[in-house]
Amino acid sequence: MVVTSLPVTPAIGYAIVVNVVRTVAALRAEVGASRTGGASIGLVPTMGALHEGHLSLIRRAAACTDLVVVSIFVNPTQFNDPSDLAAYPRDESRDVELARQAGANVVFCPPPAEVYPEGFCTCVRIDGPITETLEGAVRGPAHFWGVATVVAKLFGMVQPDVAFFGQKDAQQCVVVRRLVEDLDLPIEIEICPTVREPDGLAMSSRNVRLNHDERARAVALVEGLRTVAEAIAAGERDPREAAGAGIASMTERGVVPEYLALVHPDTFEQPAVIDRRLIAAVAAPVGPVRLIDNLFVEPV
Ligand code: AMP
């Protein structure tokens, strides 16, 4: 266990000390002591390179639970592209300080061998449209099996009362809800809204890899989604027509989506007609990175 020495937080009047732990045993010791003392436990799973989106989850966790655990683990099993895994930004000391400022009490930074020790051979496999469409179609369903497996492991390690996820990864949220329901896990899942840059771009750890021109073009994703919302507000009820309007808007801005689709918020099935609240979801390559975003859309 490493205890970072930190300044006094003026608003509270005493130092918030964040404990950085790297083993499941040390994590359990930290969390177990608090739980025995009656504390509620919040978990915010991340892959690091923290930004305001992550910090909003940590602040929310600090507001509704007594002990906030932030995990920082770049999970190899959910990467389908080795170069994406290798290029994933990492800066642990900066992340620990940001997490502390946002209200984290424990930061869990395990090495891969702690999460996947020799002999590890279990996979949480979720089938159906929620893992097979959109992100599952492009990255392969094993992407979400990797997510479900590591989230299940983190739930087992931390045993949180509440776990916090971002709407930015809408399909991941549905996968996690399914995991909790299907495996009867006694954990409340709270989904927090997507945090955006002033021009609307959804914050993402991958945004730092965009150059000036790519950063300007990246706003095409949210603009495409807004175009879909406007088409629906104007009366469009055909999902393909509405999505087509969004794709045209993106293409005009120099970004060609891998997909832009309307899906049911709980199942990720694609409806034949727009007659209820749906999610418009998009993915597109911009320069060296692949970005995703989504918006709720609703007929009025
Ligand atoms: P990641 O580190 O990308 O795996 O993200 C960790 C958590 O932060 C996930 O629950 C994400 O959905 C969430 N998250 C990432 N970006 C944002 C954002 N812009 N707004 C809100 N939550 C986010």
Side-chain angles (χ1 to χ4, degrees):
M1 181 178 76
V2 177
V3 181
T4 52
S5 69
L6 296 158
V8 168
T9 306
I12 301 174
Y14 56 85
I16 296 176
V17 175
V18 66
N19 292 336
V20 180
V21 294
R22 299 185 191 281
T23 64
V24 178
L27 174 70
R28 287 225 165 102
E30 285 293 326
V31 177
S34 296
R35 187 183 293 110
T36 306
S40 60
I41 314 297
L43 170 65
V44 181
T46 82
M47 297 202 298
L50 300 187
H51 51 67
E52 271 303 312
H54 299 111
L55 301 181
S56 72
L57 268 55
I58 300 171
R59 288 189 201 106
R60 178 73 187 146
C64 23
T65 57
D66 300 320
L67 185 90
V68 177
V69 179
V70 174
S71 61
I72 298 178
F73 180 60
V74 184
N75 177 34
T77 67
Q78 70 190 70
F79 283 79
N80 50 310
D81 174 359
S83 64
D84 188 27
L85 174 62
Y88 203 85
R90 295 161 211 242
D91 189 345
E92 185 185 300
S93 53
R94 173 186 169 277
D95 284 348
V96 169
E97 177 55 17
L98 288 174
R100 180 194 72 80
Q101 288 173 11
N105 306 106
V106 178
V107 180
F108 179 46
C109 303
E114 184 70 13
V115 179
Y116 301 112
E118 216 180 301
F120 182 89
C121 54
T122 297
C123 174
V124 178
R125 174 180 161 146
I126 297 174
D127 290 323
I130 61 170
T131 58
E132 290 161 11
T133 58
L134 306 190
E135 285 303 284
V138 176
R139 305 180 72 167
H143 162 66
F144 285 118
W145 302 343
V147 169
T149 304
V150 81
V151 169
K153 283 183 67 80
L154 288 166
F155 285 175
M157 293 167 180
V158 179
Q159 296 174 39
D161 297 284
V162 192
F164 299 82
F165 293 85
Q167 179 61 31
K168 155 84 170 27
D169 296 282
Q171 202 166 352
Q172 173 172 285
C173 292
V174 174
V175 165
V176 171
R177 282 197 188 285
R178 197 72 251 168
L179 165 79
V180 165
E181 198 175 323
D182 289 356
L183 298 186
D184 305 298
L185 304 179
I187 298 167
E188 188 185 322
I189 302 301
E190 183 164 330
I191 308 298
C192 302
T194 301
V195 178
R196 298 179 178 281
E197 300 286 356
D199 66 356
L201 174 66
M203 290 194 180
S204 163
S205 302
R206 292 184 167 90
N207 292 352
V208 296
R209 297 182 56 213
L210 298 169
N211 69 22
H212 184 74
D213 167 62
E214 291 154 358
R215 171 64 188 80
R217 281 192 297 123
V219 78
L221 278 84
V222 70
E223 290 298 344
L225 295 173
R226 285 173 177 162
T227 302
V228 173
E230 282 160 19
I232 295 170
E236 183 58 72
R237 295 293 176 264
D238 180 338
R240 271 177 303 183
E241 290 293 328
I247 292 168
S249 145
M250 291 179 67
T251 311
E252 272 168 34
R253 291 170 184 271
V255 174
V256 180
E258 282 173 357
Y259 63 76
L260 192 165
L262 289 159
V263 292
H264 188 290
D266 302 326
T267 61
F268 268 66
E269 281 164 330
Q270 302 196 17
V273 61
I274 302 167
D275 58 1
R276 54 157 295 152
R277 191 173 197 236
L278 299 170
I279 288 178
V282 65
V286 181
V289 299
R290 184 174 177 277
L291 300 175
I292 61 169
D293 197 357
N294 68 89
L295 274 189
F296 281 103
V297 292
E298 207 164 2
V300 278

